[in-house]
């Protein structure tokens, strides 16, 4: 079935949004969020259309739109660790949007954002840029009066304080990352347990449904055979009754003149 005009417009806008998400955007960029909102409206209209595509296609569109929406929400989080954790729960599309794509664009965007958030977490953990800036600031302040022993001691104390602050920051970030990793592991194990139980329940339900279907088929065959037997016996009884009545009528007709 040919795609409707609404579906074609949705695919074009979806390709545009995927391309914008893959590019390096300005933090004040607002068009992508507006485009994703328009995608949601078009998807809802497509679901209610009479000539809507197959359910698998609509589910794939929904999966990609939800991914783009979740990616925008993750970018608004404060710390890179929170962004990385939110990025872990995003599910990119499984099928390319256009025939020119070998790999789904949303999957590429997912990998890029994961690498970017990991790099940001590493930068925050190591604190290379801020440590370098603070060390240069301390060196500038110590360079003015570097010849004085008292100032040298003060500058050394300030440098030790800066290094201690950075060490505390690194330890705090490491503890936060460790806590996030433990939370993610716990949530993953809980999800696996729930999925496993659901699979077992589904398998048991399917097995019971198959058994019920087999029993229903057997009982239907038995009922059909019983009905056929009942019809046969009823037919024979009716034939016997008709023959008996017929013979009785003949005898009655022959006996009546003799009585007169």
């Amino acid at each position: 079935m040919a795609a409707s005009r609404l579906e074609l417009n949705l695919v074009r806008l979806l390709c545009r949004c995927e391309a914008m998400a893959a590019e390096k955007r300005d933090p004040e960029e607002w068009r992508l969020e507006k485009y994703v909102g328009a995608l949601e409206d078009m998807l809802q209209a497509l679901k209610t259309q009479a000539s809507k595509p197959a359910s698998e296609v609509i589910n794939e569109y929904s999966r990609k739109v939800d991914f783009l929406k979740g990616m925008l929400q993750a970018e608004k989080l404060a710390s890179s660790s929170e962004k990385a954790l939110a990025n872990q729960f995003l599910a990119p599309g499984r099928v390319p949007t256009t025939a020119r794509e070998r790999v789904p664009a949303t999957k590429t965007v997912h990998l890029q954002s994961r690498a970017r958030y990991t790099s940001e977490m590493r930068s925050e953990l190591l604190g290379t840029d801020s440590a370098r800036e603070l060390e240069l600031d301390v060196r500038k302040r110590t360079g003015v009066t570097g010849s004085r022993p008292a100032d040298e001691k003060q500058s050394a104390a300030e440098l030790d304080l800066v290094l201690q602050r950075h060490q505390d920051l690194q330890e705090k970030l490491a503890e936060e990352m460790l806590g996030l990793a433990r939370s993610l592991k716990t949530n993953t194990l809980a999800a696996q347990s729930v999925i496993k139980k659901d699979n077992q329940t589904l398998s048991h339900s399917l097995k019971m449904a198959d058994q019920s279907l087999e029993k229903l088929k057997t009982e239907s065959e038995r009922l059909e055979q019983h009905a056929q037997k009942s019809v046969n016996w009823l037919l024979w009884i009716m034939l016997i009754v008709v023959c008996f009545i017929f013979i009785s009528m003949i005898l009655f007709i022959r006996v009546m003149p003799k009585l007169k």
Side-chain angles (χ1 to χ4, degrees), residues 186-200:
T186 303
N187 293 334
T188 303
L189 292 176
Q192 289 178 354
S193 178
V194 171
I195 292 173
K196 187 176 180 181
K197 290 181 180 178
D198 291 342
N199 289 334
Q200 292 177 353

Side-chain angles (χ1 to χ4, degrees), residues 126-143:
L126 297 177
T128 53
D129 296 334
S130 57
R132 189 178 295 110
E133 291 177 359
L134 289 172
E135 186 176 356
L136 289 174
D137 183 55
V138 172
R139 287 181 179 178
K140 285 180 181 179
R141 288 185 292 176
T142 56

